[in-house]
Amino acid sequence: MRKPMMAANWKMNLIPAEATLLAQAIRAAVAEVSSVDSVLCPPYLALANVHHTVQGSTIAVGAQNVHWAESGAYTGEISVPMLKGLAEYVIIGHSERRQYFAETDETVNKKLHAVLNHGLFPIVCVGETLAQNDAGDTHAVVSAQVKAALAGVEGSRLAQVVIAYEPIWAIGTGRAATAAQAQATCGKTVRGTLAELYGDEIAQSVRVLYGGSTNAKNIGEIMQQPDIDGALIGGASLKADEYSSMVQTTAALYKANASTR
Ligand code: 13P
């Protein structure tokens, strides 16, 4: 059984002092929940604060982006070695980076290799636009993104990889994909593509998250889908109560599921 994950993407919100307070409140509420991997992804400036705040608990820290080079003349960028010791996870290829910061499948792939080579855990984001969804192209678009992201990555590395399916039309819109839609793309498309690339056993071992307008109300239904192992949460993760409730709901479902096996 894959261990569920609730990853909080705080995006460009919170100064370090605010991030510390939010991490403290979340730690107080979910630190005992060891059956769910909670990952807090603050802006770079707050990474150290959040790292110190959750140290010694079950909560992990993630960065929201990274550069692929080790060091060099890349003004404004952060490398994987700089994140070591502060973050275990790195979000790669978020649609907002693809949309506003010229992230491409090629840069996603370079970043993925850099993160894996340094022993961190990438959370690779894929997802289609509304126009692509309307045109019935979701499967083709998302499958191609998965393949491009993983180009040159050996199967033995897949245990480190998390994939997040985030339909762009569902991000920040309050219009989440239905549980059935999310399941179809996470299952047939993302896991199906992994199976095509690496075989069934590896495909079954990779954690696939759904992201896009998840909240305390809809997380239960989403987490009941067989191919969805967690969520990448934006807006709702900025509220300690709501995020913690999502973690608790997930833990309860996981427990119920485990006892029926
Ligand atoms: P929302 O949960 O705010 O829709 O954001 C989703 C997201 O982009 C997480 O990475």
Side-chain angles (χ1 to χ4, degrees), residues 14-128:
L14 309 176
I15 61 170
E18 292 167 335
T20 301
L21 289 177
L22 181 55
Q24 279 170 348
I26 290 172
R27 178 176 180 156
V30 305
E32 303 299 314
V33 185
S34 57
S35 61
V36 177
D37 282 337
S38 290
V39 182
L40 306 183
C41 305
Y44 285 133
L45 274 182
L47 273 178
N49 287 35
V50 172
H51 165 72
H52 292 303
T53 304
V54 302
Q55 213 165 17
S57 77
T58 56
I59 301 170
V61 177
Q64 297 176 14
N65 182 35
V66 77
H67 195 274
W68 58 83
E70 303 255 317
S71 63
Y74 299 102
T75 302
E77 292 292 320
I78 303 284
S79 72
V80 188
M82 293 172 183
L83 294 176
K84 273 189 150 176
L86 290 176
E88 295 92 62
Y89 292 86
V90 185
I91 298 173
I92 297 176
H94 193 282
S95 62
E96 286 149 17
R97 296 218 58 86
R98 294 181 192 248
Q99 217 176 331
Y100 308 130
F101 303 102
E103 188 87 82
T104 63
D105 283 342
E106 194 192 345
T107 58
V108 169
N109 178 250
K110 285 171 142 178
K111 292 176 180 192
L112 180 66
H113 279 279
V115 169
L116 290 175
N117 287 341
H118 284 281
L120 272 63
F121 300 91
I123 301 174
V124 184
C125 301
V126 293
E128 82 287 1

Side-chain angles (χ1 to χ4, degrees), residues 9 11 91 94 96 125 166 170-173 211-214 232-236:
N9 178 5
K11 306 194 179 181
I91 298 173
H94 193 282
E96 286 149 17
C125 301
E166 298 205 302
I171 296 177
T173 57
S213 296
T214 54
L232 182 54
I233 311 158

Side-chain angles (χ1 to χ4, degrees), residues 137-171:
D137 291 338
T138 300
H139 178 79
V141 168
V142 173
S143 178
Q145 286 174 337
V146 171
K147 286 181 181 165
L150 292 171
V153 175
E154 286 177 22
S156 59
R157 288 291 181 87
L158 266 283
Q160 253 172 281
V161 176
V162 179
I163 298 189
Y165 166 57
E166 298 205 302
I168 294 170
W169 47 270
I171 296 177

